[in-house]
Amino acid sequence: MGPPPVVTGISPKEGPPGTRVTIRGEFLGTSVTDLIGLKICGCDCLLSAEWKSKNKIVARSGPCKGRGDIIVTTRSGGEGTSTVQFRGYHESIGPVKESAVWVEEAAPPAVPWGRRPMSPTAYTPPDPLGLSTEGDDCKFPEEELNELFPDGSGKLSDENFHPGWYLLEHHSNTSYEDLKAGMVFLQRKVEGQKEGQLSFLKANTGAVMDQLDRLVLLKNMYEEDQRKNGKEPLPSLQAAIEESIQLANSLFSEILSRKENADKTREALSLLTRHKFLFQLPASIDKNIRRKEYDLVVNDYTRVKNLFGNTDVKLFQKILDEIDKKIEDLKQKLHTRMKTMPINVQEQTKYIRLLISLNWEGDAAWTAIVARKDYLMSLMNKVKDHFKQKEEQESTEKGRRKARDGAEGEGAWGAVRAAWCGAACGALAAELHALWPLAKRYFAKDLAGDPAAPDRHAELKEMIIAAVELFAEHMRACLLGNGTASAEAMSARLAANLRHLREAYDSLLKLDLPSQPLSIVEKVIFEYRVHGMAVFLQRALRRVRALPDLETWKIEDFSDYGAITQLPSLLETYITEALSSIHKCVFTSGRRESPLLSEGSEPLIALQKQTQTIFLAYVTVLKDLALHHDDQEFNNTSLSVALDQRLDESRARLADSRARSWQQRLLIAAANAQYTRRVVLPDIAAAFDRFTFPKPALALQTTKDALSNLETSIAETYLEHKGDPLVGTIEPSMYMGRQPDPDAVVDDARPYMYEIINNLIAVHAEVDSVCGAASSRYVRDICETVCEELARLATCAPRAGRAWRLDCALLRLACADHLTRKAENYLAEVLAGVPPLENEEDKKQIDTIVQGFKKKMELQLASLNCNMEIV
C-alpha cells in the first residue's frame, strides 16, 4: 500500500463547466489504470481525466458551482487530500459568443456601488489551443516581446497577430507535450468549424426560419409606409404640425397664458419645495445657535456649500451671502468663547474643531494654547495679589497689638501663606493638565487647522518655562520669608506646603513635560526643604542664646562631674528636637528629588556650620554666666572667716538657688561645661546617627576644645579669686606677734599651719559641694600654690630651723591626695634649706608630734582627703 495522493496545485484556479484543469501534486498514481477516481468540487470528472505522470493529471471540470477540493483516488494509495481549491461558476453568453438566439444590444443595466459591467471590447476569447492561460507571474516580459517581434502583436483580433508572441506571452512555461496536444485540439476545432456551419443550421432551423420571417415582415412594412407617405414624408408632416400649432394658439391663447402663469407659480412653489433646505437655512442657523447646537450649523453649512457653492442663480447667491454673514458672526462668537477663561479642555477642543470645520482664517488651536498660557500667568498673579491683600488685612487688624507687644508676625508660617501655596500649586497643576494635552494634540496634527503653520515647539517650551518660573518666583516669595511660630505649627505648615508642592510636581511628572520646567519645580522643593532645615536650626540657635534667661542655678542632678543645672539637658533637647523635625519634615526625598544631605552638598555644609554655631553659642552662654557677674563677693583679705560658717548653712545656701554665690555659680558652670563635653556631646552625636544624618565631627571637636578651654579659664579664675587670698594669709599668720626662733624647741605645729589646713578644708568643702569628684582639680591647684608660697617664705627666712621640717611634714600629711609633682618639688626645696636632724631622739620627737597632729586632726585630714579621683 503506497502513500495517499496529495494535490498541491491547480491551473487555472477557477472556470465554468468544462474548463481544462491541470492538477499537480504527489503520488497521483503509478499508471493510467491506477487512477480510479477524480472529483472536482464534488463532481465526478474521471471520464475526462488524462493521466500524465505521478505528479500531473489533466481533466475537465463538471457542472460545479462554488469552491471545493480536488480529490484523487488511486488503487495504490487510496483516497487523497487537497491543499488547494477550485472555484466553478456559470458563464454568461457574451456578444461575440456563438449562439443561436438573438442577443439584445440594449444599454446594460446600472450596477450598484459604482461598478460598471464589462464592455464588449473587453471580452477576452478563450485560448485557441484549449489550454489554460498562465497567470501574470508566468508571463513573458512585454519589453522583450517588443524587441523580439517589433511589428507583431499577441492579440488574436489584430491584423499583425504573431503566434510566437502569443505563445511566449501565454504559454512560456507550458510543456512541449501540452503544446502538441493544443495543436491537435486547434486542428480538430478548425476542421469542426468547416463542417459545423451546416450542422449549426440543421440544429437551429427553427430559429433561422423565424429570423427570416421577421426580415420579410420588416420589408413589407417598409414598402407599405413608402406607398402611403412617399419617399420623403417629413416636410408635409412639419407643415401639418405648424398649422396645428397656430390653430391651437388662436383657440387657446387665453387659456395658455393662464396656464403659463400657473406653470410659473407651480415652478416657483416647486422650487421652494425642492430647495426648502436652502431657504430655511438662515432661520435654522439662528435657532441652532441659540440652542448651542453648533454641530448642526456646521453640517448644514457644509451641505449647502457643497450643493450651491458654485451656483449662478442670483436668488441663491443672495441667500448664500446672508448665510455667510451669519457664519462669520458665529466664527467670532466661537473664537471669543474659545479664548474666554476659565473653560474646560473638552469644550475648548469642541470650539477649535468647529472653527476648523468653518474654515476659520488662523490657527485656532495655537490661539487656544496661547490663551491658556496667558490665563495661567494671570491666574498666578491673581492668586498672589489675593493672598497678599488678605495678609495685609489681617496684619492691619493685628498691627496695633503687635506694635505694642513687639511681636513678629507669622509670615511664611501663617495660614494665609499656606493657603496661597496650596492654591498656586493647584492652579499650576490644573492648568498645565489642560494646556499640555491640548499642545500634544496640536503637534500631533489632530487640531491643526493650518497645514502650513510653523513649528512652534520652541515657543511652547518657552511658554511652559515662563509659567513654571513665575510659579517658582511666587513660591519663593511665599515660603522662604521670615516669621515666627511654634515648633508644632512650623512642622505642620512645612509638611502641608511640601505636600502641596510635591503633589504639583507629581502631576507635572505624569504629563511627561520637558526636563527644564520639571527641574525648576524640583529646585523650589529642594530650596524649601533647605529653608525648613535652616528654620529649625535657627530656632534651636535662638533658644540656646536665650538660655541665660532660663538659668535659675537650680541643681537638677548631681552627676560624676558635679552639680548640673538644666542647661546641658536643654541644649540636648533643643538640638534633638531640631534634628527630629528636620528628619520628619524635610529629610525624606520625594519622587525624583535630590537627597537633602548628600556627601559634599551645600545643605550638609550648612547643617554642620549651623550646628557648630549652636554649640559655640552654648559655650558663650556658659562663659557669660560663669565669668561676667557683678556680685563677685570673695573674701580677699582673710579666708579664716570661712571657718565660722557652718556646714549646714553652706548646704542651705547651695540648696537655695536664689542665694547662690558667684563662686558657686562659677563652679556650677564648670560642672555644666564638663558634663556637656563628656556626656551631652556624645549623646548629640548619637542622635545624628539615630536620624541617619552625617555626624558633625568638626563641630563636635571644636565645641569640645572650646568647653575644655572654658573649664581651664574657670579654674584659673577660681584660683585667682580664691587661692591668691588664701596664700596671702600665710606670711602674716606666720609672723603674727613675734619673730619665730629657729633654735626654739618644737613641740607642736605652728598656728599658721592649722590656719592653712582649715582654709584648705573650707575651700575643699565649697568645691566638693558643687563639683563632687571633679573638685580635686581646684584643691590640687590651690595646694600647689600654698607649697610654692611656703618655699618662697623658707627661702626668704634669715635661718631655717626644725620648725620648717615639721611644717613640710604636716603639710604633706594634710594634702597627701592633692600634691602634684611640682608641689613635691617645692617642699623638697624647703627641706633642702633645713639642717638635718642630728640624732634619733630628734627624729622620734618629730614623729611623735606628727602622730599627735594626725590623731588630733583626724577628722579634718579625712575631710580634706575624702576624694581620691582626679578628673
Side-chain angles (χ1 to χ4, degrees), residues 308-348:
F308 305 100
N310 299 323
T311 183
D312 295 331
V313 180
K314 298 296 183 181
L315 179 60
F316 291 174
Q317 291 179 353
K318 183 179 180 180
I319 297 176
L320 288 176
D321 291 340
E322 182 181 356
I323 293 173
D324 289 338
K325 290 180 181 180
K326 293 183 179 295
I327 293 299
E328 289 297 327
D329 295 339
L330 176 61
K331 289 180 183 178
Q332 294 300 326
K333 185 176 181 180
L334 294 176
H335 179 256
T336 303
R337 290 190 178 182
M338 181 188 68
K339 294 177 59 178
T340 303
M341 298 291 168
I343 183 175
N344 58 56
V345 182
Q346 291 77 12
E347 190 172 357
Q348 193 176 33

Side-chain angles (χ1 to χ4, degrees), residues 487-488 490-491 494 529 531-544 570-587 596-597 607 610-611 614-615 684 687-688 690-691 693:
E488 294 77 9
M490 283 195 295
S491 299
L494 186 63
R529 293 169 63 198
H531 174 71
M533 180 187 71
V535 166
F536 288 123
L537 293 175
Q538 290 171 2
R539 182 174 182 274
L541 178 61
R542 289 195 301 270
R543 298 175 74 183
V544 168
L570 288 178
L571 172 66
E572 182 178 358
T573 299
Y574 294 161
I575 295 182
T576 304
E577 288 180 356
L579 295 179
S580 176
S581 299
I582 293 171
H583 185 272
K584 178 181 178 181
C585 299
V586 301
F587 179 70
L596 182 64
L597 300 177
L607 172 64
Q610 193 73 3
T611 304
I614 295 173
F615 287 156
I684 293 176
F688 272 85
R690 186 167 64 254
F691 292 113
F693 292 164

Side-chain angles (χ1 to χ4, degrees), residues 632-646 661 663 717-733 736 751-752 754-767 778-779 781-783 785-786:
Q632 300 180 9
E633 300 173 356
F634 277 96
N635 187 0
N636 295 329
T637 57
S638 177
L639 289 184
S640 299
V641 295
L643 300 175
D644 296 334
Q645 184 179 7
R646 296 179 180 179
S661 64
Q663 57 268 28
T717 302
Y718 188 83
L719 179 63
E720 178 183 355
H721 292 81
K722 199 75 172 180
D724 292 351
L726 187 150
V727 172
T729 63
I730 296 176
E731 186 174 2
S733 299
M736 186 180 294
Y752 85 95
Y754 286 100
E755 184 177 6
I756 290 174
I757 294 173
N758 289 330
N759 286 338
L760 288 175
I761 291 173
V763 171
H764 181 271
E766 181 181 52
V767 176
Y778 301 94
V779 180
D781 293 342
I782 293 177
C783 289
T785 305
V786 169

Side-chain angles (χ1 to χ4, degrees), residues 168 556 600 637 812 858:
L168 288 175
E556 299 291 339
T637 57
R812 181 180 284 109
E858 182 177 3

Side-chain angles (χ1 to χ4, degrees), residues 470-488:
L470 181 63
F471 167 77
E473 179 183 350
H474 288 182
M475 287 300 96
R476 290 188 179 97
C478 172
L479 303 176
L480 303 185
N482 297 322
T484 58
S486 63
E488 294 77 9

Side-chain angles (χ1 to χ4, degrees), residues 469-703:
E469 285 181 345
L470 181 63
F471 167 77
E473 179 183 350
H474 288 182
M475 287 300 96
R476 290 188 179 97
C478 172
L479 303 176
L480 303 185
N482 297 322
T484 58
S486 63
E488 294 77 9
M490 283 195 295
S491 299
R493 297 295 188 207
L494 186 63
N497 294 337
L498 268 179
R499 184 177 67 254
H500 291 316
L501 290 173
R502 283 170 173 164
E503 287 176 355
Y505 185 56
D506 291 340
S507 67
L508 299 188
L509 289 175
K510 293 177 182 177
L511 293 177
D512 194 20
L513 290 175
S515 59
Q516 190 170 354
L518 293 176
S519 63
I520 295 174
V521 180
E522 196 274 334
K523 185 177 180 181
V524 172
I525 298 175
F526 186 77
E527 290 176 359
Y528 187 52
R529 293 169 63 198
V530 174
H531 174 71
M533 180 187 71
V535 166
F536 288 123
L537 293 175
Q538 290 171 2
R539 182 174 182 274
L541 178 61
R542 289 195 301 270
R543 298 175 74 183
V544 168
R545 287 175 176 173
L547 285 177
D549 300 333
L550 301 178
E551 181 59 274
T552 61
W553 301 105
K554 180 180 179 182
I555 305 302
E556 299 291 339
D557 187 19
F558 204 88
S559 66
D560 295 339
Y561 306 100
I564 307 301
T565 63
Q566 62 179 348
L567 295 189
S569 63
L570 288 178
L571 172 66
E572 182 178 358
T573 299
Y574 294 161
I575 295 182
T576 304
E577 288 180 356
L579 295 179
S580 176
S581 299
I582 293 171
H583 185 272
K584 178 181 178 181
C585 299
V586 301
F587 179 70
T588 304
S589 300
R591 181 184 175 190
R592 291 180 61 177
E593 293 181 18
S594 303
L596 182 64
L597 300 177
S598 58
E599 186 69 26
S601 63
E602 293 183 3
L604 177 59
I605 297 174
L607 172 64
Q608 295 178 346
K609 287 184 178 180
Q610 193 73 3
T611 304
Q612 181 174 338
T613 303
I614 295 173
F615 287 156
L616 296 180
Y618 174 77
V619 176
T620 303
V621 168
L622 289 182
K623 184 176 181 181
D624 293 340
L625 291 173
L627 302 179
H628 300 133
H629 282 274
D630 297 332
D631 56 343
Q632 300 180 9
E633 300 173 356
F634 277 96
N635 187 0
N636 295 329
T637 57
S638 177
L639 289 184
S640 299
V641 295
L643 300 175
D644 296 334
Q645 184 179 7
R646 296 179 180 179
L647 184 59
D648 55 352
E649 294 179 358
S650 177
R651 293 291 184 182
R653 186 180 181 88
L654 184 63
D656 189 1
S657 60
R658 294 172 296 178
R660 196 83 67 200
S661 64
W662 185 78
Q663 57 268 28
Q664 287 178 337
R665 297 180 182 180
L666 188 69
L667 294 174
I668 291 173
N672 284 338
Q674 189 176 16
Y675 181 78
T676 303
R677 177 169 57 87
R678 296 292 184 88
V679 178
V680 175
L681 290 182
D683 290 345
I684 293 176
F688 272 85
D689 293 336
R690 186 167 64 254
F691 292 113
T692 66
F693 292 164
K695 188 180 297 184
L698 179 60
L700 292 172
Q701 186 59 43
T702 303
T703 306

Side-chain angles (χ1 to χ4, degrees), residues 124-188:
T124 303
D127 185 55
L129 298 179
L131 303 176
S132 61
T133 57
E134 299 171 352
D136 294 338
D137 297 337
C138 300
K139 285 187 176 181
F140 209 76
E142 188 174 356
E143 294 80 3
E144 297 184 10
L145 291 174
N146 288 326
E147 293 179 1
L148 293 174
F149 311 101
D151 299 329
S153 173
K155 295 183 180 180
L156 295 173
S157 59
D158 291 348
E159 295 180 357
N160 58 346
F161 170 75
H162 197 288
W165 182 311
Y166 182 84
L167 290 176
L168 288 175
E169 183 178 7
H170 297 284
H171 298 285
S172 59
N173 292 330
T174 305
S175 65
Y176 180 71
E177 296 295 331
D178 290 343
L179 290 175
K180 288 174 64 177
M183 184 184 67
V184 173
F185 172 78
L186 182 58
Q187 291 175 351
R188 188 167 58 247

